[in-house]
């Protein structure tokens, strides 16, 4: 207990960072991997030139650093992209989840207290066994978080989001993956298309929205080819359907339907990869995982949820241990 | 020949207008229906309040009007929407193409030379024989243009565009229709999504683009459920595919693929409605009809093209004749 009263700088073992396109999240950890503190910043890759990264990092985590000594900072995400701090080239699949550190690079830093490592993303080339061109950067570290607890993890994992990722894990390696533009498609349609006049905010805890969402998932998985006309149908339904509630509830119902249609299309695209009765591991925010779990349940598929932040930190712990040539206690 | 030297005002029989969301197009016609002149304006429905319409119309066609007498102005499109000049309520399908005038309304006008009629659109309610909620306003008049030449016209008609319409005609009536968000989806993805960095301008006359488009149409019709991952795949392909050409040709290829994917999804949605060997009538601009005809050809479907402007004027001629209780010479 006395130890917990010490300043972070005296207890700091290393720093984990998830540096994305639009923000960064950092965690101060003890040598043993316990989280001491969190920091966030809106200085994402899209707002930074290579020369800006070190200062942005120091602004976010400078308070944690001791006056002397050298602290390892392990970074996943877009900071390692070609247009980021320094490129950590994609590793091609199949790649072992405990082998991501093999593609890490160290950007030049001026502050002698910083020992920064950027982790790579994964890429996949088109081949004759059904793989298609694809890339991920950041999500591979969340997948690696699963291997901390189960080094030979296998199964299908979904990471919902703007660009939802589905990864097939086999014996501790990523063997193939697919990205779906689902979140971005939803946002574009809800905010920028003719549907913007009709789409509100849904609440899947409300029975009407929930049923509407479930029905839309079913329709979209059963006949994905009708997506284009179902989308315009949301506008027509808003104009014509006297069974819809009025006011905010109307926009909520139509939002639930749009969400179900685009998530249903995604599930239609992956269900052929699912073995009969196979569960799906969901990694992400609670609200998105709940939504996807409901969609999966509609198809009779069990969804197991893992917190996205915990997975990221676990994945960075695995990379940190590998870079230190340590065996990670699980 | 002498007659052609007279001012338009002395030869004017009536005026046809297609008044859309973002612009209006007007045609001066003789009593016999021959086009004397054309006018366009960017004063579309979205930029006008009800009180603005008469002045906008006079700005566009005032030069054609004689000093005395009353000229019929037949208007199709969004000017008849609820948020337009005055609402001409949707007629429900099935509706005969020569019966659109039965739903026409006359807005109040102050200029004694104007006798304005707004034509209605069509609506469709969800039912148990596969119809879904849908609306059209403007395209029904283009469909009516077909009935000028063949009063008992039957078949499947496609009107490509921002919101592509597919209509089933039976014995001179629209019996069902479906709208696809295809054009809007393309534009949103090409200009507003992560794909905007990759998508250029395609040219289907270029063999590489043409083949890419055809392949994408085939893929999308064969497995429409993979749309979401194929979309992100365009970005990944741009990052990884060394077989793609460089420079503008790269963006052109990826644009051709995106176009093929979204049009292919649309065709996947309508092909179940096509009888074996049945041709499709395409109404629209030459470039869009050429693109759709190529997509249809990929599926072994014959596409017959009709100029969109000619169809609009013909449809307004049919409505004008009905409103005048005239028999239209074809």
């Amino acid at each position: 207990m006395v130890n917990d009263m010490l300043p972070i700088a005296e207890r700091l073992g290393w720093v984990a960072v998830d540096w994305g396109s639009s923000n960064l999240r950092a965690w101060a950890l003890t040598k043993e991997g316990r989280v001491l503190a969190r920091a966030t910043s809106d200085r994402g890759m899209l707002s930074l030139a290579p020369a800006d990264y070190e200062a942005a990092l120091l602004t976010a985590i400078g308070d944690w650093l001791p006056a002397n000594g050298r602290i390892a900072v392990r970074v996943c995400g877009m900071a390692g992209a070609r247009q980021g701090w320094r490129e950590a080239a994609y590793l091609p699949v199949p790649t072992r989840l405990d082998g991501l550190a093999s593609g890490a690079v160290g950007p030049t830093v001026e502050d002698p207290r910083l020992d920064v490592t950027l982790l790579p993303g994964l890429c996949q080339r088109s081949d004759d066994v059904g793989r298609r061109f694809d890339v991920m950067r950041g999500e591979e570290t969340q997948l690696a978080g699963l291997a901390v607890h189960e080094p030979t993890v296998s199964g299908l994992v979904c990471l919902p989001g703007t660009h939802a990722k589905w990864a097939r894990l086999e014996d501790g390696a990523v063997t193939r993956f697919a990205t779906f533009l689902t979140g971005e498609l939803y946002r574009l349609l809800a905010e920028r298309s003719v549907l913007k006049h009709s789409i509100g905010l849904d609440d899947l805890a409300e029975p009407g929205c929930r049923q509407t969402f479930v029905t839309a998932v079913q329709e979209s998985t059963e006949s994905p080819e009708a997506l284009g006309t179902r989308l315009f149908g949301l506008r027509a339904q808003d104009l014509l359907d006297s069974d819809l509630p009025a006011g905010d509830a109307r926009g909520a119902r139509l939002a639930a339907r749009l969400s179900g249609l685009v998530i249903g299309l995604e599930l239609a695209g992956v269900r052929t990869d699912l073995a009969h009765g196979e569960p799906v591991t969901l990694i992400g925010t609670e609200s998105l995982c709940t939504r996807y779990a409901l969609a999966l349940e509609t198809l009779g598929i069990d969804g197991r949820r893992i917190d996205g932040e915990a997975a990221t930190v676990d994945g960075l712990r695995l990379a940190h241990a590998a870079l230190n040539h340590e065996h990670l206690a699980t």
Side-chain angles (χ1 to χ4, degrees), chain A:
Chain A
M1 288 302 291
V2 173
N3 204 26
D4 277 2
M5 306 296 286
L6 292 172
I8 289 171
E10 296 185 25
R11 291 178 286 154
L12 187 68
W14 61 288
V15 175
V17 179
D18 178 10
W19 206 322
S21 296
S22 50
N23 57 55
L24 80 79
R25 294 180 300 165
W27 298 267
L29 296 119
T30 64
K31 272 189 184 168
E32 296 74 29
R34 191 162 60 86
V35 174
L36 295 168
R38 287 173 178 75
T40 60
S41 156
D42 60 1
R43 305 298 306 279
M45 180 270 282
L46 293 175
S47 69
L48 295 170
D52 304 331
Y53 279 82
E54 185 174 347
L57 181 63
L58 284 169
T59 301
I61 70 162
D63 289 349
W64 298 341
L65 299 178
N68 301 302
R70 197 165 150 81
I71 294 292
V73 181
R74 312 302 189 189
V75 182
C76 69
M78 295 302 287
R82 191 173 303 169
Q83 65 275 45
W85 192 347
R86 185 185 158 190
E87 184 178 12
Y90 294 113
L91 297 178
V93 292
T95 289
R96 290 195 54 81
L97 291 167
D98 59 10
L100 295 175
S102 68
V105 302
T108 306
V109 290
E110 295 189 358
D111 192 309
R113 298 172 300 169
L114 295 174
D115 171 22
V116 178
T117 311
L118 306 176
L119 292 166
L122 298 182
C123 69
Q124 174 175 280
R125 287 171 193 284
S126 183
D127 65 20
D128 52 10
V129 291
R131 291 187 182 93
R132 297 186 174 117
F133 286 112
D134 217 323
V135 291
M136 67 166 71
R137 202 176 268 286
E139 295 89 350
E140 72 295 327
T141 301
Q142 294 184 296
L143 294 170
L146 299 177
V148 168
H149 306 286
E150 188 184 351
T152 60
V153 59
S154 293
L156 193 60
V157 184
C158 170
L159 303 102
T162 303
H163 299 156
K165 308 282 181 185
W166 286 76
R168 170 61 67 186
L169 306 185
E170 294 178 49
D171 200 18
V174 183
T175 53
R176 60 169 64 210
F177 65 98
T179 304
F180 292 78
L181 213 63
T182 308
E184 184 160 21
L185 200 56
Y186 179 89
R187 190 178 48 74
L188 287 171
L189 290 166
E191 297 175 8
R192 306 260 195 180
S193 82
V194 66
L195 305 183
K196 70 184 174 193
H197 307 294
S198 302
I199 303 297
L201 290 175
D202 67 4
D203 172 11
L204 296 190
E206 191 273 310
C209 277
R210 189 180 176 89
Q211 185 53 50
T212 299
F213 175 82
V214 164
T215 302
V217 168
Q218 286 167 335
E219 287 181 30
S220 214
T221 50
E222 281 165 19
S223 48
E225 70 280 2
L227 180 78
T229 184
R230 288 197 183 106
L231 292 179
F232 187 82
L234 289 160
R235 177 71 186 141
Q237 199 182 351
D238 187 21
L239 293 171
L240 301 174
D241 188 357
S242 51
D243 290 342
L244 276 181
D248 287 350
R250 192 176 188 88
R253 287 285 177 85
L254 293 168
R257 180 161 169 82
L258 176 59
S259 176
L261 290 177
V262 295
I263 292 175
L265 181 75
E266 180 180 330
L267 297 187
V270 295
R271 71 193 305 194
T272 53
D273 291 333
L274 269 173
H276 183 71
E278 185 184 21
V280 170
T281 301
L282 293 163
I283 302 180
T285 62
E286 189 183 342
S287 68
L288 262 185
C289 286
T290 300
R291 187 173 292 262
Y292 270 67
L294 177 57
L296 288 167
E297 184 190 315
T298 302
L299 306 184
I301 300 166
D302 185 28
R304 301 172 182 179
R305 300 178 223 178
I306 306 266
D307 176 67
E309 180 173 324
T312 301
V313 175
D314 278 346
L316 287 163
R317 286 173 68 212
L318 190 66
H320 180 64
L323 288 161
N324 287 0
H325 309 290
E326 288 171 3
H327 179 72
L328 194 65
T330 59

